Coordinates of all heavy atoms in Angstrom, one line a residue:
M1 N 17.7 17.8 -51.9 CA 16.9 19.0 -51.6 C 15.6 18.5 -50.9 O 15.1 19.1 -50.0 CB 16.7 19.7 -52.9 CG 15.9 21.0 -52.7 SD 16.9 22.2 -51.9 CE 16.0 23.6 -52.2
R2 N 15.0 17.5 -51.5 CA 13.7 17.1 -51.0 C 13.9 16.5 -49.6 O 13.1 16.7 -48.7 CB 13.1 16.0 -51.9 CG 11.7 15.7 -51.6 CD 11.1 14.9 -52.7 NE 9.7 14.9 -52.4 CZ 8.8 14.7 -53.3 NH1 9.1 14.6 -54.6 NH2 7.5 14.7 -53.0
S3 N 15.0 15.9 -49.3 CA 15.2 15.3 -48.0 C 15.4 16.5 -46.9 O 15.0 16.4 -45.8 CB 16.4 14.5 -47.9 OG 16.3 13.4 -48.8
A4 N 16.1 17.5 -47.3 CA 16.3 18.7 -46.4 C 14.9 19.3 -46.0 O 14.7 19.7 -44.9 CB 17.2 19.7 -47.0
K5 N 14.0 19.5 -47.0 CA 12.7 20.0 -46.8 C 11.9 19.1 -45.8 O 11.3 19.6 -44.9 CB 11.9 20.1 -48.1 CG 12.3 21.3 -48.9 CD 11.5 21.4 -50.1 CE 12.0 22.5 -51.1 NZ 11.1 22.6 -52.3
R6 N 12.0 17.8 -45.9 CA 11.4 16.9 -45.0 C 11.9 17.0 -43.6 O 11.1 17.0 -42.6 CB 11.5 15.4 -45.5 CG 10.6 15.2 -46.7 CD 10.7 13.7 -47.1 NE 9.8 13.4 -48.2 CZ 9.8 12.4 -48.9 NH1 10.6 11.3 -48.5 NH2 9.0 12.2 -49.9
I7 N 13.2 17.2 -43.6 CA 13.8 17.3 -42.1 C 13.4 18.6 -41.5 O 13.0 18.5 -40.3 CB 15.4 17.2 -42.3 CG1 15.8 15.8 -42.7 CG2 16.0 17.6 -41.0 CD1 17.3 15.6 -43.0
V8 N 13.5 19.6 -42.2 CA 12.9 21.0 -41.6 C 11.5 20.8 -41.3 O 11.1 21.3 -40.2 CB 13.2 22.1 -42.7 CG1 12.6 23.4 -42.2 CG2 14.7 22.3 -42.8
A9 N 10.6 20.3 -42.2 CA 9.3 20.1 -41.9 C 9.0 19.3 -40.6 O 8.2 19.7 -39.8 CB 8.5 19.6 -43.1
S10 N 9.7 18.2 -40.5 CA 9.6 17.4 -39.3 C 10.0 18.1 -38.0 O 9.4 17.9 -37.1 CB 10.5 16.1 -39.5 OG 10.0 15.4 -40.6
A11 N 11.1 18.9 -38.1 CA 11.6 19.7 -37.0 C 10.5 20.7 -36.6 O 10.2 20.9 -35.4 CB 12.9 20.3 -37.3
V12 N 9.9 21.3 -37.5 CA 8.9 22.3 -37.3 C 7.7 21.7 -36.6 O 7.1 22.2 -35.6 CB 8.4 23.1 -38.5 CG1 7.3 24.0 -38.3 CG2 9.6 24.0 -39.0
I13 N 7.2 20.6 -37.1 CA 6.0 19.8 -36.6 C 6.4 19.3 -35.1 O 5.6 19.5 -34.2 CB 5.6 18.7 -37.4 CG1 5.1 19.2 -38.7 CG2 4.7 17.7 -36.8 CD1 4.8 18.2 -39.8
A14 N 7.6 18.8 -34.9 CA 8.0 18.3 -33.6 C 8.0 19.5 -32.6 O 7.6 19.4 -31.5 CB 9.3 17.6 -33.6
T15 N 8.5 20.6 -32.9 CA 8.6 21.8 -32.1 C 7.2 22.3 -31.7 O 6.9 22.6 -30.6 CB 9.5 22.9 -32.7 OG1 10.8 22.4 -33.1 CG2 9.6 24.1 -31.8
A16 N 6.4 22.4 -32.8 CA 4.9 22.8 -32.5 C 4.2 21.9 -31.6 O 3.5 22.3 -30.7 CB 4.3 23.0 -33.8
T17 N 4.4 20.6 -31.8 CA 3.8 19.6 -30.9 C 4.3 19.7 -29.5 O 3.5 19.7 -28.5 CB 4.1 18.2 -31.5 OG1 3.6 18.1 -32.8 CG2 3.4 17.2 -30.6
A18 N 5.6 19.8 -29.3 CA 6.1 20.0 -27.9 C 5.7 21.2 -27.3 O 5.3 21.2 -26.1 CB 7.6 20.0 -28.0
T19 N 5.5 22.3 -28.0 CA 5.1 23.6 -27.4 C 3.6 23.4 -27.0 O 3.2 23.9 -26.0 CB 5.2 24.7 -28.4 OG1 6.6 24.8 -28.8 CG2 4.8 26.1 -27.9
G20 N 2.8 22.8 -27.9 CA 1.4 22.6 -27.6 C 1.2 21.7 -26.3 O 0.4 22.0 -25.5
V21 N 2.1 20.7 -26.1 CA 2.0 19.9 -24.9 C 2.3 20.7 -23.7 O 1.6 20.7 -22.7 CB 2.9 18.7 -25.1 CG1 3.0 18.0 -23.8 CG2 2.4 17.7 -26.1
L22 N 3.4 21.5 -23.7 CA 3.8 22.3 -22.6 C 2.7 23.4 -22.3 O 2.5 23.6 -21.1 CB 5.2 22.9 -22.9 CG 6.3 22.0 -22.9 CD1 7.6 22.6 -23.2 CD2 6.5 21.2 -21.6
V23 N 2.3 24.1 -23.3 CA 1.3 25.1 -23.1 C -0.1 24.7 -22.6 O -0.7 25.2 -21.8 CB 1.3 26.1 -24.4 CG1 0.1 27.2 -24.3 CG2 2.6 26.8 -24.6
G24 N -0.5 23.6 -23.4 CA -1.8 23.1 -23.1 C -2.0 22.2 -21.9 O -3.0 21.7 -21.7
G25 N -0.9 22.0 -21.2 CA -0.9 21.0 -20.1 C -1.8 21.4 -18.9 O -2.3 20.7 -18.2
G26 N -2.0 22.8 -18.8 CA -2.7 23.3 -17.7 C -2.0 23.2 -16.4 O -0.9 22.7 -16.3
A27 N -2.6 23.8 -15.4 CA -2.0 23.8 -14.0 C -2.1 22.5 -13.3 O -3.2 21.9 -13.5 CB -2.6 25.0 -13.2
A28 N -1.1 22.1 -12.7 CA -1.2 20.8 -11.8 C -2.1 21.0 -10.6 O -2.1 22.1 -10.1 CB 0.1 20.4 -11.4
Q29 N -2.8 20.0 -10.3 CA -3.7 20.1 -9.1 C -2.8 20.0 -7.8 O -1.9 19.4 -7.8 CB -4.6 18.7 -9.1 CG -5.6 18.8 -8.1 CD -6.5 17.6 -8.1 OE1 -6.3 16.8 -8.9 NE2 -7.6 17.6 -7.2
A30 N -3.2 20.9 -6.9 CA -2.4 21.0 -5.7 C -2.6 19.8 -4.8 O -3.6 19.1 -4.9 CB -2.9 22.2 -4.9
D31 N -1.5 19.5 -4.0 CA -1.6 18.4 -3.1 C -2.7 18.6 -2.0 O -2.9 19.7 -1.6 CB -0.3 18.2 -2.4 CG 0.8 17.6 -3.3 OD1 0.4 17.2 -4.5 OD2 1.9 17.4 -2.9
V32 N -3.3 17.5 -1.6 CA -4.4 17.6 -0.6 C -3.8 17.1 0.7 O -3.0 16.1 0.7 CB -5.5 16.7 -1.1 CG1 -6.7 16.7 -0.1 CG2 -6.0 17.2 -2.5
P33 N -4.2 17.6 1.9 CA -3.8 17.0 3.2 C -4.3 15.6 3.3 O -5.4 15.2 2.8 CB -4.4 17.9 4.2 CG -4.8 19.1 3.5 CD -5.0 18.8 2.1
V34 N -3.5 14.7 3.9 CA -3.9 13.2 4.1 C -5.3 13.1 4.6 O -6.1 12.3 4.1 CB -2.8 12.5 4.9 CG1 -3.4 11.2 5.4 CG2 -1.6 12.3 4.0
P35 N -5.8 13.8 5.6 CA -7.1 13.6 6.1 C -8.2 13.8 5.1 O -9.3 13.3 5.2 CB -7.3 14.6 7.3 CG -5.9 14.8 7.8 CD -5.0 14.8 6.5
Q36 N -8.0 14.6 4.1 CA -8.9 14.9 3.0 C -8.7 14.2 1.7 O -9.4 14.3 0.8 CB -8.8 16.4 2.7 CG -9.2 17.3 3.9 CD -8.9 18.8 3.7 OE1 -8.6 19.2 2.6 NE2 -9.2 19.6 4.7
A37 N -7.6 13.4 1.7 CA -7.2 12.7 0.4 C -7.9 11.3 0.2 O -7.6 10.6 -0.7 CB -5.7 12.5 0.4
N38 N -8.8 10.9 1.1 CA -9.5 9.7 1.0 C -8.5 8.5 1.0 O -8.5 7.8 0.0 CB -10.4 9.7 -0.2 CG -11.5 8.7 -0.1 OD1 -11.8 8.1 1.0 ND2 -12.1 8.3 -1.2
C39 N -7.7 8.5 1.9 CA -6.7 7.4 2.0 C -7.2 6.1 2.6 O -8.1 6.1 3.5 CB -5.5 7.9 2.9 SG -4.7 9.4 2.1
H40 N -6.6 5.0 2.3 CA -7.1 3.7 2.7 C -5.9 3.0 3.3 O -4.8 3.1 2.7 CB -7.7 2.8 1.6 CG -8.8 3.6 0.9 ND1 -10.0 3.7 1.4 CD2 -8.7 4.3 -0.3 CE1 -10.7 4.4 0.5 NE2 -9.9 4.8 -0.5
V41 N -6.1 2.2 4.4 CA -5.0 1.3 4.9 C -5.6 0.0 4.9 O -6.7 -0.3 5.0 CB -4.6 1.8 6.4 CG1 -3.9 3.1 6.4 CG2 -5.8 1.8 7.3
Y42 N -4.6 -1.0 4.8 CA -4.9 -2.4 4.6 C -4.1 -3.2 5.6 O -2.8 -3.1 5.5 CB -4.8 -2.9 3.2 CG -5.7 -2.2 2.3 CD1 -5.2 -1.0 1.5 CD2 -7.0 -2.5 2.1 CE1 -5.9 -0.3 0.7 CE2 -7.8 -1.8 1.2 CZ -7.2 -0.7 0.5 OH -8.1 0.0 -0.4
N43 N -4.6 -4.0 6.4 CA -3.9 -4.9 7.4 C -3.6 -6.1 6.6 O -4.5 -6.8 6.0 CB -4.8 -5.2 8.6 CG -4.2 -6.0 9.6 OD1 -3.3 -6.8 9.3 ND2 -4.7 -5.9 10.8
I44 N -2.3 -6.6 6.7 CA -1.9 -7.8 6.0 C -1.6 -8.9 7.1 O -0.4 -8.8 7.6 CB -0.7 -7.7 5.0 CG1 -0.9 -6.4 4.2 CG2 -0.4 -8.8 4.3 CD1 -1.9 -6.5 3.1
F45 N -2.4 -9.7 7.5 CA -2.3 -10.8 8.4 C -1.7 -10.3 9.8 O -0.8 -11.0 10.4 CB -1.4 -11.9 7.9 CG -1.9 -12.5 6.6 CD1 -1.2 -12.4 5.4 CD2 -3.1 -13.1 6.6 CE1 -1.7 -12.9 4.3 CE2 -3.6 -13.7 5.4 CZ -2.9 -13.5 4.2
N46 N -2.1 -9.2 10.3 CA -1.6 -8.6 11.5 C 0.0 -8.5 11.6 O 0.6 -8.5 12.7 CB -2.1 -9.4 12.8 CG -3.6 -9.1 12.9 OD1 -4.1 -8.0 12.6 ND2 -4.3 -10.1 13.5
T47 N 0.7 -8.5 10.5 CA 2.1 -8.5 10.4 C 2.6 -7.3 9.6 O 3.6 -6.8 9.9 CB 2.6 -9.8 9.8 OG1 2.2 -10.9 10.6 CG2 4.2 -9.9 9.8
G48 N 1.9 -6.9 8.6 CA 2.2 -5.9 7.7 C 1.0 -5.1 7.3 O -0.1 -5.4 7.7
G49 N 1.3 -4.0 6.5 CA 0.2 -3.2 6.0 C 0.6 -2.3 4.9 O 1.8 -2.1 4.6
M50 N -0.4 -1.8 4.2 CA -0.1 -0.9 3.1 C -1.2 0.2 3.1 O -2.2 0.2 3.7 CB -0.2 -1.6 1.8 CG -1.4 -2.3 1.5 SD -1.9 -2.4 -0.2 CE -2.5 -0.8 -0.7
A51 N -0.8 1.3 2.5 CA -1.7 2.5 2.4 C -1.6 3.1 1.0 O -0.6 3.0 0.3 CB -1.3 3.5 3.4
N52 N -2.7 3.6 0.5 CA -2.8 4.5 -0.7 C -3.8 5.5 -0.6 O -4.7 5.4 0.2 CB -2.9 3.6 -2.0 CG -4.3 3.0 -2.1 OD1 -5.0 2.8 -1.1 ND2 -4.6 2.5 -3.3
C53 N -3.7 6.5 -1.4 CA -4.7 7.6 -1.3 C -5.3 7.9 -2.7 O -4.6 7.6 -3.7 CB -4.0 8.9 -0.9 SG -3.3 8.8 0.8
E54 N -6.6 8.3 -2.7 CA -7.2 8.6 -4.0 C -6.9 10.0 -4.6 O -7.0 10.2 -5.8 CB -8.7 8.4 -3.8 CG -9.1 7.0 -3.5 CD -10.6 6.9 -3.4 OE1 -11.4 7.8 -3.8 OE2 -11.0 5.8 -2.8
Q55 N -6.5 10.9 -3.8 CA -6.2 12.2 -4.2 C -4.6 12.4 -4.2 O -3.9 11.7 -3.6 CB -6.8 13.3 -3.2 CG -8.3 13.2 -3.1 CD -9.0 13.4 -4.4 OE1 -8.6 14.4 -5.1 NE2 -10.1 12.8 -4.6
P56 N -4.2 13.5 -4.9 CA -2.8 13.7 -5.0 C -2.2 14.2 -3.7 O -2.5 15.4 -3.3 CB -2.7 14.7 -6.1 CG -3.9 15.4 -6.2 CD -4.9 14.4 -5.7
T57 N -1.5 13.4 -3.0 CA -0.8 13.8 -1.8 C 0.4 12.9 -1.4 O 0.4 11.7 -1.9 CB -1.7 13.8 -0.6 OG1 -1.2 14.4 0.5 CG2 -2.2 12.3 -0.3
W58 N 1.4 13.4 -0.8 CA 2.6 12.5 -0.3 C 2.1 11.9 1.0 O 1.6 12.5 1.9 CB 3.8 13.4 -0.2 CG 4.4 13.7 -1.3 CD1 4.4 15.0 -2.0 CD2 5.3 13.0 -2.2 NE1 5.1 14.9 -3.2 CE2 5.7 13.6 -3.3 CE3 5.7 11.6 -2.1 CZ2 6.5 13.2 -4.3 CZ3 6.6 11.1 -3.1 CH2 6.9 11.9 -4.2
H59 N 2.2 10.6 1.1 CA 1.8 9.8 2.3 C 2.8 8.6 2.5 O 3.6 8.3 1.7 CB 0.4 9.3 2.1 CG 0.3 8.2 1.0 ND1 0.2 8.6 -0.4 CD2 0.3 6.9 1.0 CE1 0.2 7.4 -1.1 NE2 0.2 6.4 -0.3
Q60 N 2.6 8.1 3.7 CA 3.4 6.8 4.0 C 2.6 6.1 5.0 O 1.9 6.7 5.9 CB 4.8 7.1 4.4 CG 5.1 7.7 5.7 CD 6.6 8.0 5.9 OE1 6.8 9.1 6.2 NE2 7.5 7.1 5.7
V61 N 2.7 4.7 5.1 CA 2.1 4.0 6.1 C 3.0 3.9 7.3 O 4.2 3.9 7.2 CB 1.8 2.5 5.6 CG1 3.0 1.7 5.3 CG2 0.9 1.8 6.5
K62 N 2.3 4.0 8.5 CA 3.0 3.9 9.8 C 2.4 2.7 10.6 O 1.2 2.7 10.9 CB 2.8 5.2 10.6 CG 3.5 5.1 11.9 CD 3.2 6.4 12.7 CE 3.6 6.3 14.1 NZ 3.2 7.5 14.9
L63 N 3.2 1.8 10.9 CA 2.8 0.6 11.7 C 3.2 0.7 13.1 O 4.3 1.1 13.4 CB 3.3 -0.7 11.2 CG 3.0 -1.0 9.6 CD1 3.6 -2.4 9.3 CD2 1.6 -1.0 9.3
T64 N 2.4 0.4 14.1 CA 2.7 0.2 15.5 C 2.9 -1.2 15.7 O 2.0 -2.0 15.5 CB 1.7 0.8 16.4 OG1 1.5 2.2 16.0 CG2 2.1 0.8 17.8
C65 N 4.2 -1.7 16.1 CA 4.4 -3.1 16.3 C 4.8 -3.4 17.8 O 5.2 -2.4 18.5 CB 5.6 -3.5 15.4 SG 5.4 -3.1 13.7
V66 N 4.7 -4.6 18.2 CA 5.1 -4.9 19.5 C 6.0 -6.2 19.4 O 5.9 -7.1 18.7 CB 3.8 -5.2 20.5 CG1 3.1 -6.5 20.0 CG2 4.3 -5.4 21.9
A67 N 7.1 -6.1 20.3 CA 8.0 -7.3 20.3 C 7.8 -8.0 21.6 O 7.5 -7.4 22.7 CB 9.4 -6.7 20.3
W68 N 7.9 -9.3 21.6 CA 7.7 -10.2 22.7 C 8.9 -11.0 22.9 O 9.8 -11.1 22.1 CB 6.5 -11.2 22.5 CG 5.2 -10.4 22.3 CD1 4.6 -10.2 21.1 CD2 4.4 -9.8 23.3 NE1 3.4 -9.5 21.3 CE2 3.3 -9.2 22.7 CE3 4.5 -9.7 24.7 CZ2 2.3 -8.6 23.3 CZ3 3.5 -9.1 25.4 CH2 2.4 -8.5 24.6
P69 N 9.3 -11.5 24.1 CA 8.4 -11.7 25.3 C 8.3 -10.4 26.2 O 7.4 -10.3 27.0 CB 9.1 -12.8 26.1 CG 10.5 -12.7 25.7 CD 10.5 -12.1 24.3
V70 N 9.2 -9.5 26.1 CA 9.1 -8.3 26.9 C 8.3 -7.3 26.0 O 8.8 -7.0 25.0 CB 10.5 -7.7 27.2 CG1 10.4 -6.4 28.0 CG2 11.3 -8.8 28.0
P71 N 7.2 -6.9 26.4 CA 6.4 -6.0 25.6 C 7.2 -4.6 25.3 O 7.5 -3.9 26.2 CB 5.1 -5.7 26.4 CG 5.1 -6.6 27.6 CD 6.5 -7.1 27.7
F72 N 7.4 -4.5 24.0 CA 8.3 -3.3 23.7 C 7.6 -2.8 22.3 O 7.5 -3.5 21.4 CB 9.6 -3.9 23.4 CG 10.6 -3.2 22.7 CD1 11.8 -2.8 23.2 CD2 10.3 -2.8 21.3 CE1 12.8 -2.1 22.4 CE2 11.3 -2.1 20.6 CZ 12.5 -1.7 21.1
V73 N 7.2 -1.6 22.4 CA 6.4 -1.0 21.2 C 7.4 -0.2 20.4 O 8.3 0.5 20.8 CB 5.3 -0.1 21.7 CG1 4.6 0.6 20.5 CG2 4.3 -0.8 22.5
Y74 N 7.3 -0.4 19.1 CA 8.1 0.3 18.1 C 7.3 0.6 16.8 O 6.2 0.0 16.6 CB 9.5 -0.4 17.7 CG 9.2 -1.8 17.0 CD1 9.3 -1.9 15.7 CD2 8.9 -2.9 17.8 CE1 9.1 -3.2 15.1 CE2 8.7 -4.2 17.2 CZ 8.8 -4.3 15.9 OH 8.6 -5.5 15.2
W75 N 7.8 1.5 16.0 CA 7.1 1.8 14.7 C 7.9 1.5 13.5 O 9.1 1.6 13.5 CB 6.8 3.3 14.8 CG 5.9 3.7 15.9 CD1 4.6 3.8 15.8 CD2 6.3 4.1 17.2 NE1 4.1 4.1 17.1 CE2 5.2 4.3 17.9 CE3 7.6 4.2 17.8 CZ2 5.2 4.7 19.3 CZ3 7.6 4.6 19.2 CH2 6.3 4.8 19.9
K76 N 7.2 1.1 12.6 CA 7.8 0.9 11.2 C 7.1 1.8 10.2 O 5.9 2.0 10.3 CB 7.6 -0.6 10.7 CG 8.4 -1.6 11.5 CD 9.8 -1.5 11.1 CE 10.4 -2.9 11.0 NZ 11.3 -3.3 10.2
Y77 N 7.9 2.4 9.3 CA 7.3 3.3 8.3 C 7.6 2.7 6.9 O 8.7 2.3 6.6 CB 8.0 4.6 8.4 CG 7.7 5.3 9.7 CD1 8.6 5.2 10.8 CD2 6.6 6.2 9.8 CE1 8.3 5.8 12.0 CE2 6.4 6.8 11.0 CZ 7.2 6.6 12.2 OH 7.0 7.3 13.3
G78 N 6.6 2.9 6.1 CA 6.7 2.5 4.6 C 7.4 3.6 3.9 O 7.6 4.7 4.4
P79 N 7.8 3.4 2.6 CA 8.4 4.4 1.8 C 7.4 5.5 1.5 O 6.2 5.3 1.5 CB 8.9 3.7 0.6 CG 8.0 2.5 0.5 CD 7.7 2.2 1.9
R80 N 7.9 6.7 1.3 CA 7.0 7.8 0.9 C 6.5 7.6 -0.4 O 7.2 7.2 -1.4 CB 7.8 9.1 0.9 CG 8.3 9.6 2.2 CD 9.1 10.9 2.0 NE 8.6 11.7 1.0 CZ 8.7 13.0 0.9 NH1 9.4 13.7 1.8 NH2 8.2 13.6 -0.1
Q81 N 5.2 7.8 -0.6 CA 4.6 7.5 -2.0 C 3.7 8.7 -2.3 O 3.2 9.4 -1.4 CB 3.8 6.2 -2.0 CG 4.7 5.0 -1.8 CD 5.6 4.8 -3.0 OE1 5.4 5.2 -4.1 NE2 6.7 4.0 -2.7
Y82 N 3.3 8.8 -3.6 CA 2.5 9.9 -4.0 C 1.1 9.4 -4.6 O 1.1 8.4 -5.4 CB 3.1 10.7 -5.1 CG 2.5 12.0 -5.4 CD1 2.5 13.1 -4.6 CD2 1.7 12.1 -6.6 CE1 1.9 14.3 -4.9 CE2 1.0 13.2 -6.9 CZ 1.0 14.3 -6.1 OH 0.4 15.5 -6.3
G83 N 0.0 9.9 -4.1 CA -1.3 9.6 -4.6 C -1.6 8.1 -4.5 O -1.6 7.5 -3.4
Q84 N -2.0 7.5 -5.7 CA -2.5 6.1 -5.6 C -1.3 5.1 -5.5 O -1.6 3.8 -5.4 CB -3.3 5.8 -6.8 CG -4.6 6.6 -6.8 CD -5.4 6.3 -8.0 OE1 -5.0 5.7 -8.9 NE2 -6.6 6.9 -8.0
N85 N -0.1 5.5 -5.4 CA 1.0 4.5 -5.3 C 0.9 4.0 -3.9 O 0.5 4.7 -2.9 CB 2.4 5.2 -5.4 CG 2.6 5.6 -6.8 OD1 2.1 4.9 -7.8 ND2 3.3 6.7 -7.0
Q86 N 1.3 2.7 -3.7 CA 1.2 2.1 -2.4 C 2.4 2.1 -1.5 O 3.5 1.9 -2.0 CB 0.8 0.6 -2.6 CG -0.4 0.4 -3.3 CD -0.7 -1.0 -3.8 OE1 0.2 -1.8 -3.7 NE2 -1.9 -1.3 -4.2
S87 N 2.2 2.4 -0.2 CA 3.4 2.4 0.7 C 3.2 1.2 1.6 O 2.1 1.0 2.3 CB 3.2 3.7 1.6 OG 4.3 3.7 2.6
W88 N 4.2 0.3 1.6 CA 4.1 -1.0 2.3 C 5.2 -0.9 3.4 O 6.2 -0.4 3.4 CB 4.6 -2.1 1.4 CG 3.5 -2.5 0.4 CD1 3.3 -1.8 -0.8 CD2 2.6 -3.5 0.5 NE1 2.3 -2.5 -1.4 CE2 1.9 -3.5 -0.7 CE3 2.4 -4.5 1.4 CZ2 0.9 -4.4 -1.0 CZ3 1.4 -5.4 1.1 CH2 0.6 -5.4 0.0
A89 N 4.8 -1.7 4.6 CA 5.8 -1.9 5.7 C 5.3 -3.2 6.4 O 4.2 -3.6 6.2 CB 5.8 -0.8 6.6
S90 N 6.3 -3.8 7.1 CA 5.9 -4.9 7.9 C 6.6 -5.0 9.2 O 7.8 -4.5 9.3 CB 6.1 -6.2 7.1 OG 7.5 -6.3 6.9
C91 N 6.0 -5.5 10.3 CA 6.7 -5.8 11.5 C 7.7 -6.8 11.5 O 7.7 -7.6 10.4 CB 5.6 -6.0 12.6 SG 4.5 -4.7 12.9
D92 N 8.5 -7.0 12.5 CA 9.6 -8.0 12.4 C 9.2 -9.4 12.8 O 10.0 -10.3 12.5 CB 10.7 -7.6 13.4 CG 11.3 -6.3 13.0 OD1 11.5 -6.0 11.7 OD2 11.7 -5.5 13.8
S93 N 8.0 -9.6 13.2 CA 7.5 -11.0 13.6 C 6.0 -11.1 13.3 O 5.3 -10.1 13.2 CB 7.8 -11.4 15.0 OG 7.1 -10.5 15.9
L94 N 5.5 -12.4 13.3 CA 4.1 -12.6 12.9 C 3.2 -12.1 14.1 O 3.6 -12.2 15.2 CB 3.9 -14.1 12.8 CG 4.6 -14.8 11.6 CD1 4.4 -16.3 11.6 CD2 4.1 -14.2 10.3
N95 N 2.0 -11.6 13.6 CA 1.0 -11.1 14.6 C 1.6 -10.0 15.5 O 1.1 -9.8 16.7 CB 0.4 -12.2 15.4 CG -0.5 -13.0 14.5 OD1 -1.1 -12.6 13.6 ND2 -0.3 -14.3 14.7
A96 N 2.6 -9.2 15.1 CA 3.2 -8.2 16.0 C 2.6 -6.8 15.8 O 2.8 -6.0 16.5 CB 4.7 -8.1 15.7
M97 N 1.8 -6.6 14.7 CA 1.2 -5.3 14.4 C 0.0 -5.0 15.3 O -0.9 -5.9 15.4 CB 0.8 -5.2 13.0 CG 0.4 -3.8 12.6 SD 0.0 -3.6 10.9 CE -1.5 -4.5 10.7
V98 N 0.0 -3.9 16.0 CA -1.1 -3.6 16.9 C -1.9 -2.3 16.4 O -2.9 -1.9 17.0 CB -0.7 -3.4 18.4 CG1 -0.3 -4.8 18.9 CG2 0.5 -2.4 18.5
G99 N -1.3 -1.6 15.4 CA -1.9 -0.4 14.9 C -1.3 -0.1 13.5 O -0.2 -0.4 13.2
I100 N -2.2 0.6 12.7 CA -1.8 1.0 11.4 C -2.5 2.3 11.1 O -3.6 2.6 11.5 CB -2.2 -0.1 10.3 CG1 -1.7 0.3 8.9 CG2 -3.6 -0.4 10.3 CD1 -1.9 -0.9 7.9
E101 N -1.8 3.2 10.4 CA -2.3 4.5 9.9 C -1.6 5.0 8.8 O -0.5 4.6 8.5 CB -2.3 5.5 11.1 CG -0.9 5.8 11.6 CD -1.0 6.7 12.9 OE1 -1.5 7.9 12.8 OE2 -0.3 6.4 13.9
V102 N -2.2 6.0 8.1 CA -1.4 6.6 7.0 C -1.1 8.1 7.5 O -2.0 8.7 8.1 CB -2.3 6.6 5.7 CG1 -3.6 7.4 5.9 CG2 -1.5 7.2 4.5
I103 N 0.1 8.5 7.2 CA 0.5 9.8 7.7 C 1.0 10.7 6.5 O 1.4 10.1 5.4 CB 1.6 9.7 8.8 CG1 2.8 9.0 8.2 CG2 1.0 9.1 10.0 CD1 4.0 9.1 9.2
Q104 N 1.0 11.9 6.7 CA 1.6 12.9 5.7 C 3.1 12.7 5.6 O 3.8 12.6 6.6 CB 1.3 14.3 6.1 CG 1.5 15.3 5.0 CD 0.3 15.4 4.1 OE1 -0.8 15.4 4.6 NE2 0.6 15.5 2.8
A105 N 3.6 12.5 4.4 CA 5.0 12.3 4.3 C 5.7 13.6 3.8 O 5.2 14.4 3.2 CB 5.3 11.2 3.3

């Protein structure tokens, strides 16, 4: 009998706690456009780069690369990331990166 009361009491407490977490969580902050999200890009040895943002937004790094000996420009995109998560990408050869930016994903 005593065990049944403990199980019921535990279930009531767990339900109340879960309800409090769901109700008290508040509204989520809306995503911010990349130009306003205070995003940063980092050049890695002119071959690769990464980006992250300080505000909640979906973003990805976009690299402009060049292939030699025939100058041929192409783009590499990092994976889509959210907020402070880092989006990484790299060009196909050393010193091939000629531009880096963070874009809305």
Side-chain angles (χ1 to χ4, degrees):
M1 182 74 166
R2 192 168 190 152
S3 296
K5 286 182 181 178
R6 285 184 182 172
I7 291 172
V8 170
S10 296
V12 169
I13 290 170
T15 303
T17 303
T19 304
V21 168
L22 293 175
V23 172
Q29 186 176 4
D31 287 357
V32 180
V34 165
Q36 299 170 3
N38 200 17
C39 298
H40 308 280
V41 292
Y42 302 93
N43 180 339
I44 314 289
F45 303 117
N46 288 333
T47 302
M50 59 149 279
N52 68 341
C53 298
E54 293 181 14
Q55 301 295 322
T57 188
W58 284 100
H59 66 279
Q60 72 188 126
V61 68
K62 176 186 174 185
L63 305 181
T64 303
C65 306
V66 64
W68 299 101
V70 178
F72 163 124
V73 175
Y74 63 98
W75 296 272
K76 290 286 221 153
Y77 296 88
R80 293 176 37 150
Q81 296 293 338
Y82 189 77
Q84 295 181 351
N85 293 328
Q86 299 171 347
S87 177
W88 288 80
S90 61
C91 295
D92 296 327
S93 60
L94 295 174
N95 292 319
M97 189 177 71
V98 293
I100 183 172
E101 62 184 307
V102 60
I103 60 172
Q104 194 83 41

